[in-house]
Amino acid sequence: MATTARARVRTEITNEIKAVARRRLADEGSAALSLRAVAREVGMVSSAVYRYFPSRDDLLTALIVDAYDAVGAAAEAADPGKRSGVPARWLAVTRAVRAWARANPQEYALIYGSPVPGYRAPEATIDPATRVSAALLAIVRDGVESGEITSDDSIAIPRTLRRDLAGIRALLADGVPDEVLARALFVWAEMFGAISLELFGHLHNVITDFDAHFETQMRRAGSVLTAQDPASS
Amino acid sequence: MATTARARVRTEITNEIKAVARRRLADEGSAALSLRAVAREVGMVSSAVYRYFPSRDDLLTALIVDAYDAVGAAAEAADPGKRSGVPARWLAVTRAVRAWARANPQEYALIYGSPVPGYRAPEATIDPATRVSAALLAIVRDGVESGEITSDDSIAIPRTLRRDLAGIRALLADGVPDEVLARALFVWAEMFGAISLELFGHLHNVITDFDAHFETQMRRAGSVLTAQDPASS
DNA sequence: TGTACATCAGTGAACGCGCGTTCACTGATGTAC
DNA sequence: TGTACATCAGTGAACGCGCGTTCACTGATGTAC
Protein backbone atom coordinates (compact mmCIF):
# COMPACT_ATOMS: atom_id res chain seq x y z
CA MET A 1 0.00 0.00 0.00
CA ALA A 2 2.64 2.47 1.05
CA THR A 3 4.52 1.74 -2.15
CA THR A 4 2.66 0.46 -5.16
CA ALA A 5 4.39 -1.70 -7.70
CA ARG A 6 4.55 1.29 -9.97
CA ALA A 7 6.27 3.41 -7.32
CA ARG A 8 8.78 0.65 -6.64
CA VAL A 9 9.64 0.34 -10.29
CA ARG A 10 9.95 4.11 -10.48
CA THR A 11 12.61 4.34 -7.80
CA GLU A 12 14.41 1.37 -9.32
CA ILE A 13 14.59 2.99 -12.71
CA THR A 14 15.53 6.32 -11.17
CA ASN A 15 18.45 4.57 -9.52
CA GLU A 16 19.42 2.82 -12.71
CA ILE A 17 19.51 6.11 -14.57
CA LYS A 18 21.73 7.59 -11.88
CA ALA A 19 23.99 4.56 -11.90
CA VAL A 20 24.46 4.75 -15.65
CA ALA A 21 25.02 8.50 -15.44
CA ARG A 22 27.65 7.96 -12.78
CA ARG A 23 29.43 5.47 -14.99
CA ARG A 24 29.31 7.80 -17.96
CA LEU A 25 30.65 10.57 -15.75
CA ALA A 26 33.74 8.45 -15.19
CA ASP A 27 34.31 8.22 -18.94
CA GLU A 28 33.60 11.70 -20.12
CA GLY A 29 33.44 14.15 -17.26
CA SER A 30 30.55 16.22 -16.04
CA ALA A 31 30.41 18.79 -18.80
CA ALA A 32 29.98 16.10 -21.42
CA LEU A 33 27.36 14.14 -19.51
CA SER A 34 24.47 13.80 -21.94
CA LEU A 35 20.90 12.78 -21.26
CA ARG A 36 20.66 11.10 -24.62
CA ALA A 37 23.72 8.95 -24.02
CA VAL A 38 22.41 7.93 -20.61
CA ALA A 39 19.00 7.10 -22.09
CA ARG A 40 20.61 5.02 -24.81
CA GLU A 41 22.59 3.02 -22.28
CA VAL A 42 19.62 2.50 -20.00
CA GLY A 43 17.72 1.28 -23.04
CA MET A 44 15.02 3.88 -23.29
CA VAL A 45 14.30 6.67 -25.68
CA SER A 46 15.81 10.01 -24.69
CA SER A 47 12.51 11.72 -24.01
CA ALA A 48 11.55 9.04 -21.49
CA VAL A 49 14.25 10.24 -19.11
CA TYR A 50 12.20 13.39 -18.65
CA ARG A 51 9.67 11.30 -16.71
CA TYR A 52 12.40 10.95 -14.08
CA PHE A 53 14.47 14.11 -14.27
CA PRO A 54 12.99 17.35 -15.56
CA SER A 55 16.30 18.41 -17.10
CA ARG A 56 19.94 17.57 -17.44
CA ASP A 57 20.82 19.89 -14.59
CA ASP A 58 18.47 18.06 -12.24
CA LEU A 59 20.20 14.81 -13.06
CA LEU A 60 23.53 16.47 -12.32
CA THR A 61 22.17 17.76 -9.03
CA ALA A 62 21.09 14.26 -8.06
CA LEU A 63 24.58 12.96 -8.83
CA ILE A 64 26.16 15.73 -6.77
CA VAL A 65 23.91 15.06 -3.80
CA ASP A 66 24.63 11.34 -4.04
CA ALA A 67 28.37 11.98 -4.23
CA TYR A 68 28.38 14.21 -1.16
CA ASP A 69 26.32 11.63 0.67
CA ALA A 70 28.59 8.80 -0.37
CA VAL A 71 31.81 10.46 0.70
CA GLY A 72 30.12 11.71 3.85
CA ALA A 73 28.92 8.23 4.70
CA ALA A 74 32.39 6.83 4.02
CA ALA A 75 33.91 9.37 6.38
CA GLU A 76 31.37 8.66 9.10
CA ALA A 77 31.71 4.92 8.78
CA ALA A 78 35.49 5.08 9.05
CA ASP A 79 35.51 6.96 12.34
CA PRO A 80 36.50 4.45 15.03
CA GLY A 81 34.89 6.62 17.70
CA LYS A 82 35.76 8.71 20.69
CA ARG A 83 37.90 6.29 22.63
CA SER A 84 40.36 5.80 19.77
CA GLY A 85 41.76 9.26 20.25
CA VAL A 86 42.25 12.19 17.89
CA PRO A 87 45.28 11.11 15.83
CA ALA A 88 43.88 7.65 15.05
CA ARG A 89 40.46 9.01 14.19
CA TRP A 90 41.89 11.74 12.01
CA LEU A 91 44.00 9.23 10.09
CA ALA A 92 41.11 6.81 9.68
CA VAL A 93 38.68 9.40 8.39
CA THR A 94 41.09 11.12 6.01
CA ARG A 95 42.16 7.75 4.65
CA ALA A 96 38.53 6.91 4.01
CA VAL A 97 37.93 10.16 2.16
CA ARG A 98 40.96 9.57 -0.01
CA ALA A 99 39.98 5.95 -0.65
CA TRP A 100 36.53 7.04 -1.76
CA ALA A 101 38.04 9.73 -3.98
CA ARG A 102 40.39 7.26 -5.65
CA ALA A 103 37.58 4.81 -6.19
CA ASN A 104 35.28 7.49 -7.63
CA PRO A 105 37.55 10.08 -9.19
CA GLN A 106 34.98 11.71 -11.43
CA GLU A 107 32.51 12.02 -8.60
CA TYR A 108 35.25 13.54 -6.51
CA ALA A 109 36.01 15.96 -9.32
CA LEU A 110 32.32 16.73 -9.59
CA ILE A 111 32.09 17.95 -6.02
CA TYR A 112 35.61 19.09 -5.16
CA GLY A 113 37.03 19.95 -8.58
CA SER A 114 36.30 22.90 -10.82
CA PRO A 115 32.66 23.88 -10.68
CA VAL A 116 30.58 22.77 -13.67
CA PRO A 117 30.31 25.89 -15.81
CA GLY A 118 26.80 27.24 -16.09
CA TYR A 119 25.56 25.00 -13.31
CA ARG A 120 24.17 26.70 -10.23
CA ALA A 121 24.07 24.44 -7.18
CA PRO A 122 20.60 24.38 -5.65
CA GLU A 123 19.95 24.42 -1.90
CA ALA A 124 19.43 20.67 -1.83
CA THR A 125 23.19 20.18 -2.16
CA ILE A 126 24.11 22.20 0.90
CA ASP A 127 23.27 19.75 3.64
CA PRO A 128 24.96 16.67 2.16
CA ALA A 129 27.97 18.86 1.38
CA THR A 130 28.68 19.36 5.08
CA ARG A 131 28.80 15.71 6.12
CA VAL A 132 32.56 15.29 5.71
CA SER A 133 33.25 18.53 7.54
CA ALA A 134 30.87 17.50 10.28
CA ALA A 135 32.65 14.16 10.67
CA LEU A 136 36.00 15.91 10.98
CA LEU A 137 34.71 18.53 13.37
CA ALA A 138 33.24 15.83 15.59
CA ILE A 139 36.77 14.57 16.11
CA VAL A 140 37.93 18.06 16.95
CA ARG A 141 35.06 18.61 19.37
CA ASP A 142 35.77 15.38 21.20
CA GLY A 143 39.47 16.15 21.27
CA VAL A 144 38.89 19.51 22.89
CA GLU A 145 36.53 17.95 25.40
CA SER A 146 39.00 15.24 26.32
CA GLY A 147 41.92 17.61 26.52
CA GLU A 148 43.82 15.91 23.68
CA ILE A 149 43.62 19.13 21.72
CA THR A 150 44.79 22.25 23.45
CA SER A 151 44.54 25.84 22.44
CA ASP A 152 47.82 27.47 23.24
CA ASP A 153 49.28 28.57 19.97
CA SER A 154 49.42 32.06 18.72
CA ILE A 155 49.00 32.56 15.03
CA ALA A 156 47.11 35.82 15.27
CA ILE A 157 43.44 35.54 14.35
CA PRO A 158 41.92 38.79 13.06
CA ARG A 159 38.62 39.96 14.46
CA THR A 160 36.64 39.49 11.24
CA LEU A 161 37.78 35.92 11.08
CA ARG A 162 36.68 35.33 14.67
CA ARG A 163 33.15 36.21 13.60
CA ASP A 164 33.30 33.57 10.88
CA LEU A 165 34.68 31.03 13.31
CA ALA A 166 31.87 31.79 15.74
CA GLY A 167 29.42 30.86 13.00
CA ILE A 168 31.09 27.50 12.46
CA ARG A 169 31.20 26.87 16.18
CA ALA A 170 27.49 27.55 16.51
CA LEU A 171 26.65 25.00 13.84
CA LEU A 172 29.09 22.17 14.16
CA ALA A 173 31.78 22.80 16.73
CA ASP A 174 30.28 23.52 20.09
CA GLY A 175 32.93 24.44 22.63
CA VAL A 176 35.84 24.55 20.18
CA PRO A 177 37.90 27.72 20.67
CA ASP A 178 38.91 29.92 17.76
CA GLU A 179 42.55 28.89 17.81
CA VAL A 180 41.62 25.24 17.47
CA LEU A 181 38.98 25.92 14.86
CA ALA A 182 41.53 27.76 12.76
CA ARG A 183 43.78 24.71 12.96
CA ALA A 184 40.85 22.51 11.98
CA LEU A 185 40.29 24.58 8.84
CA PHE A 186 43.99 24.31 8.18
CA VAL A 187 44.11 20.53 8.22
CA TRP A 188 40.82 20.37 6.32
CA ALA A 189 42.46 22.30 3.47
CA GLU A 190 45.52 20.09 3.77
CA MET A 191 43.44 16.95 3.30
CA PHE A 192 41.63 18.21 0.22
CA GLY A 193 44.80 19.76 -1.14
CA ALA A 194 46.65 16.47 -0.83
CA ILE A 195 43.85 14.46 -2.40
CA SER A 196 43.28 16.93 -5.23
CA LEU A 197 46.95 17.24 -6.13
CA GLU A 198 47.16 13.47 -6.28
CA LEU A 199 43.95 12.85 -8.21
CA PHE A 200 44.38 15.72 -10.63
CA GLY A 201 47.82 14.51 -11.63
CA HIS A 202 50.13 17.00 -9.97
CA LEU A 203 52.17 14.36 -8.16
CA HIS A 204 52.85 12.56 -11.40
CA ASN A 205 56.59 12.15 -11.92
CA VAL A 206 57.07 13.47 -8.40
CA ILE A 207 55.70 10.85 -6.05
CA THR A 208 55.46 7.17 -6.81
CA ASP A 209 54.30 5.80 -3.47
CA PHE A 210 51.07 7.75 -3.16
CA ASP A 211 49.88 5.81 -0.14
CA ALA A 212 53.01 6.51 1.86
CA HIS A 213 52.97 10.14 0.83
CA PHE A 214 49.37 10.69 1.90
CA GLU A 215 49.90 8.81 5.12
CA THR A 216 52.92 10.91 5.99
CA GLN A 217 51.14 14.14 5.18
CA MET A 218 48.10 13.25 7.23
CA ARG A 219 50.23 12.24 10.20
CA ARG A 220 51.77 15.65 10.11
CA ALA A 221 48.37 17.26 9.74
CA GLY A 222 47.22 15.30 12.77
CA SER A 223 50.06 16.66 14.82
CA VAL A 224 49.29 20.20 13.69
CA LEU A 225 45.69 19.65 14.71
CA THR A 226 46.58 18.53 18.19
CA ALA A 227 49.27 21.19 18.34
CA GLN A 228 51.73 18.65 19.59
CA ASP A 229 55.37 19.10 18.97
CA PRO A 230 55.73 16.74 15.99
CA ALA A 231 58.81 15.28 17.63
CA SER A 232 56.67 13.81 20.39
CA SER A 233 54.11 12.08 18.19
CA MET B 1 64.62 40.47 -41.88
CA ALA B 2 64.53 38.28 -38.80
CA THR B 3 60.80 38.76 -38.64
CA THR B 4 58.93 39.60 -41.77
CA ALA B 5 55.72 41.59 -41.63
CA ARG B 6 53.84 38.39 -42.25
CA ALA B 7 55.50 36.68 -39.30
CA ARG B 8 54.76 39.61 -37.05
CA VAL B 9 51.11 39.60 -37.99
CA ARG B 10 51.03 35.89 -37.46
CA THR B 11 52.16 36.07 -33.85
CA GLU B 12 49.82 38.98 -33.26
CA ILE B 13 46.83 37.02 -34.50
CA THR B 14 47.94 33.93 -32.62
CA ASN B 15 47.95 36.01 -29.48
CA GLU B 16 44.57 37.49 -30.26
CA ILE B 17 43.09 34.03 -30.71
CA LYS B 18 44.52 32.96 -27.37
CA ALA B 19 43.26 36.10 -25.67
CA VAL B 20 39.75 35.57 -26.97
CA ALA B 21 39.89 31.90 -26.01
CA ARG B 22 40.98 32.86 -22.52
CA ARG B 23 38.04 35.21 -22.20
CA ARG B 24 35.61 32.59 -23.43
CA LEU B 25 37.12 30.12 -20.98
CA ALA B 26 36.06 32.46 -18.21
CA ASP B 27 32.47 32.38 -19.43
CA GLU B 28 31.97 28.75 -20.26
CA GLY B 29 34.71 26.58 -18.87
CA SER B 30 37.26 24.50 -20.67
CA ALA B 31 35.03 21.66 -21.80
CA ALA B 32 32.75 24.05 -23.65
CA LEU B 33 35.55 26.03 -25.27
CA SER B 34 34.73 25.97 -28.97
CA LEU B 35 36.92 26.83 -31.90
CA ARG B 36 33.95 28.15 -33.83
CA ALA B 37 32.94 30.53 -31.05
CA VAL B 38 36.50 31.80 -30.77
CA ALA B 39 36.73 32.28 -34.52
CA ARG B 40 33.44 34.17 -34.54
CA GLU B 41 34.64 36.53 -31.83
CA VAL B 42 38.01 37.10 -33.47
CA GLY B 43 36.14 37.89 -36.67
CA MET B 44 37.33 35.11 -38.90
CA VAL B 45 35.74 32.08 -40.36
CA SER B 46 36.11 28.94 -38.25
CA SER B 47 38.34 27.12 -40.68
CA ALA B 48 40.84 29.98 -40.62
CA VAL B 49 41.76 29.18 -37.03
CA TYR B 50 43.32 25.97 -38.34
CA ARG B 51 46.09 28.09 -39.88
CA TYR B 52 47.12 28.86 -36.28
CA PHE B 53 46.18 25.82 -34.24
CA PRO B 54 45.92 22.39 -35.83
CA SER B 55 43.08 21.39 -33.51
CA ARG B 56 41.02 22.40 -30.52
CA ASP B 57 43.29 20.42 -28.23
CA ASP B 58 46.33 22.34 -29.41
CA LEU B 59 44.61 25.59 -28.58
CA LEU B 60 43.83 24.19 -25.12
CA THR B 61 47.44 23.17 -24.70
CA ALA B 62 48.58 26.67 -25.56
CA LEU B 63 46.21 28.09 -22.94
CA ILE B 64 47.46 25.64 -20.34
CA VAL B 65 51.09 26.45 -21.04
CA ASP B 66 50.32 30.17 -20.86
CA ALA B 67 48.46 29.74 -17.58
CA TYR B 68 51.30 27.82 -15.96
CA ASP B 69 53.72 30.44 -17.20
CA ALA B 70 51.58 33.29 -15.94
CA VAL B 71 51.14 31.92 -12.44
CA GLY B 72 54.78 30.88 -12.38
CA ALA B 73 55.88 34.36 -13.38
CA ALA B 74 53.60 35.89 -10.76
CA ALA B 75 55.13 33.68 -8.09
CA GLU B 76 58.67 34.48 -9.17
CA ALA B 77 58.00 38.20 -9.37
CA ALA B 78 56.51 38.28 -5.89
CA ASP B 79 59.52 36.72 -4.20
CA PRO B 80 61.30 39.52 -2.33
CA GLY B 81 64.52 37.52 -2.34
CA LYS B 82 66.90 35.78 0.00
CA ARG B 83 67.48 38.49 2.54
CA SER B 84 63.79 38.85 3.38
CA GLY B 85 63.76 35.53 5.15
CA VAL B 86 61.63 32.44 4.79
CA PRO B 87 58.34 33.49 6.42
CA ALA B 88 58.10 36.78 4.51
CA ARG B 89 58.99 35.14 1.22
CA TRP B 90 56.55 32.30 1.75
CA LEU B 91 53.74 34.74 2.49
CA ALA B 92 54.57 36.95 -0.46
CA VAL B 93 54.70 34.12 -2.96
CA THR B 94 51.58 32.31 -1.76
CA ARG B 95 49.67 35.58 -1.75
CA ALA B 96 50.74 36.17 -5.32
CA VAL B 97 49.59 32.72 -6.40
CA ARG B 98 46.21 33.26 -4.77
CA ALA B 99 45.89 36.74 -6.27
CA TRP B 100 46.56 35.35 -9.72
CA ALA B 101 44.06 32.56 -9.14
CA ARG B 102 41.35 34.99 -8.07
CA ALA B 103 42.04 37.21 -11.04
CA ASN B 104 41.99 34.27 -13.45
CA PRO B 105 39.69 31.69 -11.91
CA GLN B 106 39.00 29.69 -15.06
CA GLU B 107 42.67 29.53 -15.92
CA TYR B 108 43.36 28.37 -12.39
CA ALA B 109 40.65 25.73 -12.77
CA LEU B 110 42.16 24.73 -16.09
CA ILE B 111 45.50 23.85 -14.56
CA TYR B 112 44.70 23.00 -10.93
CA GLY B 113 41.07 21.89 -11.15
CA SER B 114 39.59 18.71 -12.54
CA PRO B 115 41.46 17.53 -15.61
CA VAL B 116 39.72 18.24 -18.90
CA PRO B 117 38.14 14.90 -19.83
CA GLY B 118 39.60 13.31 -22.93
CA TYR B 119 42.50 15.73 -22.96
CA ARG B 120 45.97 14.28 -22.64
CA ALA B 121 48.56 16.81 -21.54
CA PRO B 122 51.53 16.81 -23.90
CA GLU B 123 55.14 17.09 -22.77
CA ALA B 124 55.22 20.79 -23.54
CA THR B 125 53.17 21.47 -20.42
CA ILE B 126 55.57 19.81 -18.00
CA ASP B 127 58.23 22.47 -17.75
CA PRO B 128 55.98 25.47 -17.23
CA ALA B 129 54.01 23.41 -14.70
CA THR B 130 56.97 23.32 -12.35
CA ARG B 131 57.62 27.04 -12.12
CA VAL B 132 55.51 27.65 -9.02
CA SER B 133 56.99 24.64 -7.27
CA ALA B 134 60.45 25.79 -8.22
CA ALA B 135 59.78 29.23 -6.79
CA LEU B 136 58.61 27.74 -3.52
CA LEU B 137 61.47 25.28 -3.33
CA ALA B 138 63.96 28.09 -3.88
CA ILE B 139 62.71 29.60 -0.64
CA VAL B 140 63.13 26.27 1.10
CA ARG B 141 66.61 25.78 -0.29
CA ASP B 142 67.73 29.21 0.88
CA GLY B 143 66.14 28.66 4.26
CA VAL B 144 68.04 25.45 4.80
CA GLU B 145 71.23 27.10 3.70
CA SER B 146 70.77 30.02 6.06
CA GLY B 147 69.70 27.85 8.95
CA GLU B 148 66.23 29.37 9.18
CA ILE B 149 64.77 25.98 8.41
CA THR B 150 65.96 23.11 10.52
CA SER B 151 65.40 19.45 10.22
CA ASP B 152 64.67 18.10 13.63
CA ASP B 153 61.16 16.78 13.52
CA SER B 154 60.20 13.19 13.39
CA ILE B 155 57.14 12.32 11.39
CA ALA B 156 58.43 8.98 10.15
CA ILE B 157 59.29 8.98 6.45
CA PRO B 158 59.05 5.54 4.83
CA ARG B 159 61.89 4.32 2.68
CA THR B 160 59.92 4.36 -0.60
CA LEU B 161 59.05 7.97 0.00
CA ARG B 162 62.68 8.83 0.59
CA ARG B 163 63.43 7.65 -2.92
CA ASP B 164 60.80 10.02 -4.27
CA LEU B 165 62.17 12.86 -2.19
CA ALA B 166 65.65 12.17 -3.50
CA GLY B 167 64.28 12.69 -7.00
CA ILE B 168 62.87 16.06 -6.09
CA ARG B 169 66.07 17.06 -4.36
CA ALA B 170 68.11 16.20 -7.42
CA LEU B 171 65.98 18.42 -9.64
CA LEU B 172 64.98 21.40 -7.59
CA ALA B 173 66.04 21.20 -3.98
CA ASP B 174 69.74 20.71 -3.72
CA GLY B 175 70.83 20.19 -0.14
CA VAL B 176 67.34 20.03 1.36
CA PRO B 177 67.00 17.04 3.70
CA ASP B 178 64.08 14.62 3.46
CA GLU B 179 62.38 15.87 6.60
CA VAL B 180 62.31 19.42 5.30
CA LEU B 181 61.26 18.33 1.83
CA ALA B 182 58.31 16.46 3.29
CA ARG B 183 57.29 19.63 5.09
CA ALA B 184 57.64 21.55 1.85
CA LEU B 185 55.25 19.15 0.12
CA PHE B 186 52.94 19.58 3.06
CA VAL B 187 52.69 23.36 2.82
CA TRP B 188 52.51 23.13 -0.97
CA ALA B 189 49.35 21.04 -0.64
CA GLU B 190 48.06 23.45 1.99
CA MET B 191 48.43 26.39 -0.34
CA PHE B 192 46.62 24.74 -3.24
CA GLY B 193 44.04 23.26 -0.91
CA ALA B 194 43.26 26.65 0.55
CA ILE B 195 43.05 28.35 -2.84
CA SER B 196 40.96 25.58 -4.40
CA LEU B 197 38.48 25.40 -1.53
CA GLU B 198 38.03 29.14 -1.77
CA LEU B 199 37.77 29.39 -5.54
CA PHE B 200 35.59 26.34 -5.99
CA GLY B 201 33.05 27.64 -3.53
CA HIS B 202 33.59 25.45 -0.49
CA LEU B 203 34.11 28.37 1.87
CA HIS B 204 30.83 29.89 0.83
CA ASN B 205 28.60 30.47 3.86
CA VAL B 206 31.58 29.53 6.03
CA ILE B 207 34.14 32.27 5.63
CA THR B 208 33.36 35.85 4.72
CA ASP B 209 36.77 37.46 5.10
CA PHE B 210 38.65 35.36 2.56
CA ASP B 211 41.76 37.50 2.70
CA ALA B 212 42.12 37.19 6.45
CA HIS B 213 41.45 33.48 6.28
CA PHE B 214 44.09 32.81 3.66
CA GLU B 215 46.59 35.04 5.40
CA THR B 216 46.09 33.20 8.68
CA GLN B 217 46.37 29.81 7.06
CA MET B 218 49.53 30.72 5.20
CA ARG B 219 51.13 32.13 8.35
CA ARG B 220 50.52 28.82 10.00
CA ALA B 221 51.88 27.00 6.97
CA GLY B 222 54.98 29.16 7.17
CA SER B 223 55.56 28.16 10.74
CA VAL B 224 55.10 24.50 9.86
CA LEU B 225 57.65 24.93 7.11
CA THR B 226 60.26 26.44 9.36
CA ALA B 227 59.29 23.96 12.06
CA GLN B 228 59.13 26.74 14.56
CA ASP B 229 56.90 26.44 17.54
CA PRO B 230 53.99 28.50 16.24
CA ALA B 231 53.93 30.31 19.59
CA SER B 232 57.29 31.90 18.81
CA SER B 233 56.43 33.26 15.38
C1' DT C 1 64.54 47.36 -59.68
C1' DG C 2 61.28 44.27 -61.97
C1' DT C 3 59.29 40.01 -63.01
C1' DA C 4 57.77 34.99 -62.24
C1' DC C 5 56.78 31.80 -59.05
C1' DA C 6 55.97 29.89 -54.43
C1' DT C 7 54.06 30.37 -50.05
C1' DC C 8 50.62 31.50 -47.04
C1' DA C 9 46.05 33.54 -44.78
C1' DG C 10 41.54 33.56 -45.09
C1' DT C 11 36.86 32.17 -47.45
C1' DG C 12 32.67 29.63 -47.87
C1' DA C 13 30.43 25.49 -48.48
C1' DA C 14 29.94 21.04 -46.97
C1' DC C 15 30.48 16.50 -44.15
C1' DG C 16 28.35 14.03 -40.40
C1' DC C 17 27.46 14.32 -35.83
C1' DG C 18 25.15 14.66 -31.15
C1' DC C 19 22.78 17.56 -28.21
C1' DG C 20 18.39 19.19 -24.98
C1' DT C 21 13.79 19.59 -25.16
C1' DT C 22 8.77 19.38 -26.82
C1' DC C 23 4.72 17.07 -28.26
C1' DA C 24 0.96 14.11 -29.62
C1' DC C 25 0.44 9.32 -29.16
C1' DT C 26 -0.31 4.37 -27.23
C1' DG C 27 -0.85 1.08 -23.92
C1' DA C 28 -0.37 -0.45 -19.34
C1' DT C 29 -1.15 0.23 -14.31
C1' DG C 30 -3.84 2.04 -10.52
C1' DT C 31 -8.32 3.98 -8.29
C1' DA C 32 -13.26 4.86 -7.24
C1' DC C 33 -17.57 3.09 -7.06
C1' DT D 1 -15.44 -8.74 -7.93
C1' DG D 2 -16.15 -5.99 -12.08
C1' DT D 3 -16.32 -1.94 -14.73
C1' DA D 4 -15.18 3.04 -16.16
C1' DC D 5 -12.09 6.44 -15.85
C1' DA D 6 -7.71 8.73 -14.57
C1' DT D 7 -2.93 8.51 -14.17
C1' DC D 8 1.40 7.47 -15.67
C1' DA D 9 5.66 5.39 -18.46
C1' DG D 10 7.52 5.10 -22.56
C1' DT D 11 7.52 5.92 -27.94
C1' DG D 12 8.97 8.15 -32.06
C1' DA D 13 9.22 12.08 -34.75
C1' DA D 14 10.51 16.61 -34.93
C1' DC D 15 12.48 21.45 -33.60
C1' DG D 16 16.62 24.13 -33.98
C1' DC D 17 21.09 24.24 -32.64
C1' DG D 18 26.32 24.23 -32.54
C1' DC D 19 30.18 21.49 -32.98
C1' DG D 20 35.20 19.93 -35.21
C1' DT D 21 37.22 19.26 -39.31
C1' DT D 22 38.06 18.99 -44.52
C1' DC D 23 38.55 20.90 -48.98
C1' DA D 24 38.95 23.50 -53.22
C1' DC D 25 39.31 28.26 -53.96
C1' DT D 26 41.06 33.34 -54.19
C1' DG D 27 44.03 36.90 -53.46
C1' DA D 28 47.75 38.93 -51.04
C1' DT D 29 52.59 38.71 -49.32
C1' DG D 30 57.30 37.13 -49.73
C1' DT D 31 61.49 35.16 -52.41
C1' DA D 32 64.80 34.11 -56.17
C1' DC D 33 66.90 35.64 -60.04
Side-chain angles (χ1 to χ4, degrees):
Chain A
M1 179 123 304
T3 54
T4 66
R6 198 184 253 169
R8 257 203 320 276
V9 171
R10 182 166 234 287
T11 69
E12 259 171 43
I13 297 193
T14 305
N15 286 332
E16 196 189 336
I17 292 174
K18 288 199 291 189
V20 168
R22 249 190 303 276
R23 206 173 45 242
R24 295 204 60 82
L25 206 60
D27 294 348
E28 342 218 320
S30 58
L33 180 69
S34 116
L35 269 191
R36 291 186 102 114
V38 170
R40 229 176 288 130
E41 199 169 323
V42 172
M44 44 178 26
V45 100
S46 70
S47 52
V49 178
Y50 286 81
R51 296 272 167 218
Y52 298 89
F53 297 93
S55 77
R56 198 196 87 113
D57 270 13
D58 290 274
L59 176 54
L60 251 190
T61 299
L63 294 181
I64 289 172
V65 167
D66 283 4
Y68 275 127
D69 270 326
V71 68
E76 289 161 13
D79 187 345
K82 234 179 226 197
R83 56 191 65 206
S84 299
V86 169
R89 293 174 77 188
W90 165 257
L91 268 186
V93 171
T94 55
R95 264 188 216 130
V97 173
R98 171 172 176 262
W100 181 87
R102 285 171 57 100
N104 307 278
Q106 280 292 348
E107 285 184 86
Y108 178 84
L110 186 60
I111 55 181
Y112 292 111
S114 346
V116 181
Y119 173 82
R120 201 81 217 110
E123 302 243 325
T125 60
I126 296 179
D127 266 18
T130 62
R131 282 180 72 175
V132 168
S133 311
L136 295 174
L137 282 174
I139 301 174
V140 176
R141 224 189 308 113
D142 292 344
V144 168
E145 206 179 286
S146 72
E148 278 183 282
I149 299 179
T150 51
S151 171
D152 60 311
D153 72 12
S154 65
I155 298 282
I157 298 178
R159 199 167 291 119
T160 52
L161 201 52
R162 290 192 181 273
R163 253 206 313 276
D164 292 337
L165 297 176
I168 302 174
R169 182 164 42 242
L171 284 177
L172 290 169
D174 199 38
V176 177
D178 287 356
E179 284 71 19
V180 174
L181 220 38
R183 291 208 304 266
L185 287 170
F186 182 85
V187 294
W188 177 62
E190 177 68 31
M191 177 187 75
F192 281 117
I195 295 175
S196 291
L197 286 175
E198 175 182 342
L199 256 76
F200 298 165
H202 294 279
L203 299 185
H204 204 236
N205 295 330
V206 177
I207 299 293
T208 56
D209 191 339
F210 293 131
D211 290 352
H213 176 64
F214 185 77
E215 193 80 12
T216 305
Q217 300 293 57
M218 289 306 108
R219 280 185 197 283
R220 189 180 311 275
S223 81
V224 170
L225 178 58
T226 54
Q228 288 179 316
D229 181 346
S232 73
S233 74
Chain B
M1 177 122 306
T3 53
T4 65
R6 197 185 252 170
R8 256 202 320 277
V9 171
R10 182 166 233 287
T11 70
E12 259 170 43
I13 297 194
T14 304
N15 285 333
E16 195 188 339
I17 291 173
K18 290 198 290 187
V20 168
R22 250 191 301 276
R23 205 171 49 240
R24 296 204 59 81
L25 206 60
D27 295 347
E28 340 218 320
S30 58
L33 180 69
S34 115
L35 269 191
R36 292 185 101 113
V38 170
R40 229 176 288 131
E41 198 168 323
V42 172
M44 45 179 24
V45 100
S46 70
S47 52
V49 177
Y50 285 82
R51 295 273 168 218
Y52 299 88
F53 298 94
S55 76
R56 198 196 85 113
D57 271 13
D58 291 274
L59 176 55
L60 252 189
T61 298
L63 295 181
I64 289 172
V65 168
D66 283 4
Y68 275 126
D69 270 328
V71 68
E76 289 160 13
D79 187 345
K82 236 180 226 198
R83 57 192 64 203
S84 299
V86 170
R89 293 174 77 188
W90 165 258
L91 268 186
V93 171
T94 55
R95 263 188 217 131
V97 173
R98 171 171 176 262
W100 181 87
R102 286 170 57 101
N104 308 277
Q106 280 292 348
E107 284 184 88
Y108 178 84
L110 185 61
I111 55 181
Y112 292 112
S114 346
V116 181
Y119 173 82
R120 202 80 216 111
E123 301 244 324
T125 61
I126 295 180
D127 266 19
T130 62
R131 282 180 72 174
V132 168
S133 311
L136 294 174
L137 282 174
I139 301 174
V140 175
R141 223 188 311 112
D142 292 345
V144 169
E145 205 179 288
S146 72
E148 279 184 281
I149 299 180
T150 52
S151 171
D152 59 312
D153 72 12
S154 65
I155 298 282
I157 298 178
R159 199 167 291 119
T160 52
L161 201 52
R162 289 191 183 274
R163 252 206 313 276
D164 292 338
L165 297 176
I168 302 173
R169 181 164 42 242
L171 283 176
L172 291 168
D174 198 38
V176 177
D178 287 355
E179 284 71 20
V180 174
L181 219 38
R183 291 208 303 267
L185 287 169
F186 183 85
V187 294
W188 177 62
E190 177 68 32
M191 176 187 76
F192 281 117
I195 296 175
S196 291
L197 287 176
E198 176 181 343
L199 258 76
F200 297 165
H202 293 279
L203 299 185
H204 204 238
N205 294 329
V206 178
I207 299 293
T208 55
D209 191 339
F210 293 131
D211 290 353
H213 177 63
F214 184 79
E215 193 81 11
T216 305
Q217 299 294 57
M218 289 306 109
R219 279 186 197 285
R220 189 179 311 275
S223 80
V224 170
L225 178 60
T226 53
Q228 287 181 318
D229 181 348
S232 74
S233 77

